[in-house]
Amino acid sequence: MKRALTLLTALLTSSALTSATLAAGPTTLREAAGDRLLIGAAISMPQIEDPKQAELLTSQFNSIVCGNDFKPLYLHPKPDVFNFETADKYVAFAEAHGLKLIGHNLLWHSQAPAHLFQDESGKPLPREQGLANLQKHITTIVTHFKGKVIGWDVVNEGLADSEPYLRSTPALKSIGEDYIQKAFEFAHAADPDVELYYNDYNIEKPYKFPKALKLLKALKDAKVPITGVGIQLHCQLTEPKTPAELEAAIPQFAALGLKVMFTELDVDVLPRKASGADVTAKEQGANPYTAGLPADVAEAQGKYYASIFQVAMNHPGVVTRVTTWGTDDSTSWLNDWPVRGRTNYGMLFARDLSPKPAFADVMKVLTAK
Ligand code: 9MR
């Protein structure tokens, strides 16, 4: 009798809890997004090794991308050396926790080994040699991760900020303009099932959007196997026009038959001159919030974040993923770019991993009827 009573009490309590949870609705980003949107985070080792970080990651997010450890410099440091040891730890973590993994990246002008496209004196390799190196590089890496990543940023930041079209990179100088097309073709040949993306910053902005459209249209016209375009979205509170520009850009990318992803979202609250994410930018700048983020700034950041997620929700089936470039404020690259050593607050979670006002604002957007 006593046992039956205990059981009954337990049942009542658990069903009461369940209905309370149901009435309160989703409590995490991934629950709130459901299957409408992948919610991603860029991570590094601490996020999978530190139990608290890992708990935040796996409860809030359903996809990951490595901020650094999949880059060509680390996976392919020397012509005949490929190193998958660290990267494979993320694969194991993603598999253990049912997270989708995205590979970032196969080709970039930064964090890339010189041997791919330059001789020892720094001169561009002849086209045929550059192409052969690109093919080996991409084939080896994509084959290694076959069935383990859902998609690859195949070419990262190939468009120029100031020149009229493509960025002048070692790959461009060795192979020529079709290096982008070839990169996608080699990746597709190695894994016909994996999604392939072009990823860049500021391509929603008027100065760069036409270049992006030109490139993506040329790739589609040439029947290049590209699945989607990643708009990075390294935003600033002081650049409030982004959502309108984003709204306008998305249908035009979608009209080419591309999925659209917001791949590196953060909202910088500190003053900076550099727009986007030019890694070479270095500045001096104020560091006003070392003692904490003022409530009004946190509130403004929340509104900004919400407006970006709202744009994603406005394009169901087209915008398929929103990835924040980090998880919490302490691990964000914004603490060191473009000014070194500042206390920045670009993410949805605070340094103690608690949700910031922006988290609640994003949840409101994701759960709105
Ligand atoms: O988050 C990355 C940071 O830890 C590195 O120091 C930086 C080096 O270039 O790269 C960062 O990630 C970049 C990404 O790979 C491409 N878009 C811009 C990102 C921020 O620089």
Side-chain angles (χ1 to χ4, degrees), residues 22-306:
L22 284 179
T27 56
T28 65
L29 296 169
R30 57 180 288 175
E31 273 171 19
D35 50 18
R36 296 169 300 169
L37 205 59
L38 282 177
I39 300 286
I43 63 165
S44 49
M45 270 299 150
Q47 277 105 345
I48 67 175
E49 286 179 340
D50 176 272
K52 284 195 185 133
Q53 292 267 3
E55 165 59 23
L56 175 73
L57 181 65
T58 54
S59 58
Q60 295 290 346
F61 300 89
N62 53 23
S63 71
I64 55 172
V65 53
C66 292
N68 287 301
D69 289 325
F70 273 57
K71 288 174 179 171
L73 185 62
Y74 311 116
L75 296 188
H76 190 184
K78 296 192 184 136
D80 292 314
V81 177
F82 287 87
N83 179 3
F84 297 118
E85 206 185 314
T86 304
D88 284 345
K89 292 186 182 162
Y90 296 95
V91 171
F93 184 85
E95 279 171 0
H97 296 278
L99 303 169
K100 308 273 188 219
L101 179 61
I102 291 97
H104 172 85
N105 52 57
L106 293 171
L107 199 51
W108 190 24
H109 60 278
S110 179
Q111 292 173 294
H115 65 77
L116 286 176
F117 306 115
Q118 289 172 350
D119 68 16
E120 276 167 16
S121 67
K123 280 219 312 270
L125 291 174
R127 173 178 163 86
E128 289 314 314
Q129 186 61 52
L131 268 177
N133 289 356
L134 181 65
Q135 182 165 27
K136 174 176 157 184
H137 169 75
I138 288 185
T139 307
T140 309
I141 294 175
V142 172
T143 304
H144 178 86
F145 293 104
K146 202 169 173 170
K148 295 171 179 166
V149 303
I150 61 161
W152 277 103
D153 289 336
V154 178
V155 175
N156 192 43
E157 300 170 16
L159 290 165
D161 287 311
S162 38
E163 294 104 327
Y165 186 33
L166 297 183
R167 186 187 291 273
S168 176
T169 64
L172 180 81
K173 287 183 195 151
S174 165
I175 296 174
E177 285 203 356
D178 63 345
Y179 85 89
I180 297 181
Q181 166 167 353
K182 295 290 180 195
F184 279 88
E185 288 170 354
F186 294 148
H188 184 68
D191 183 355
D193 297 324
V194 77
E195 296 198 337
L196 302 176
Y197 319 126
Y198 176 76
N199 188 51
D200 211 332
Y201 63 84
N202 283 357
I203 51 175
E204 76 285 9
K205 292 192 187 295
Y207 83 94
K208 215 163 172 180
F209 173 74
K211 300 179 202 181
L213 204 59
K214 175 177 167 182
L215 171 64
L216 296 168
K217 189 168 181 322
L219 294 175
K220 287 304 277 190
D221 286 349
K223 306 257 181 297
V224 171
I226 173 170
T227 325
V229 54
I231 308 177
Q232 292 185 7
L233 293 181
H234 292 290
C235 305
Q236 302 174 65
L237 270 185
T238 50
E239 273 191 326
K241 287 213 314 277
T242 298
E245 291 162 349
L246 255 190
E247 272 293 355
I250 291 166
Q252 301 204 53
F253 290 146
L256 297 173
L258 296 170
K259 292 183 181 180
V260 178
M261 285 147 223
F262 301 166
T263 51
E264 303 189 14
L265 176 60
D266 44 31
V267 180
D268 195 339
V269 301
L270 296 180
R272 75 179 200 225
K273 292 192 201 80
S275 164
D278 175 4
V279 282
T280 61
K282 283 196 179 46
E283 297 174 18
Q284 303 292 315
N287 188 18
Y289 307 137
T290 50
L293 186 61
D296 59 329
V297 182
E299 200 181 302
Q301 184 188 43
K303 293 213 162 51
Y304 200 116
Y305 256 110

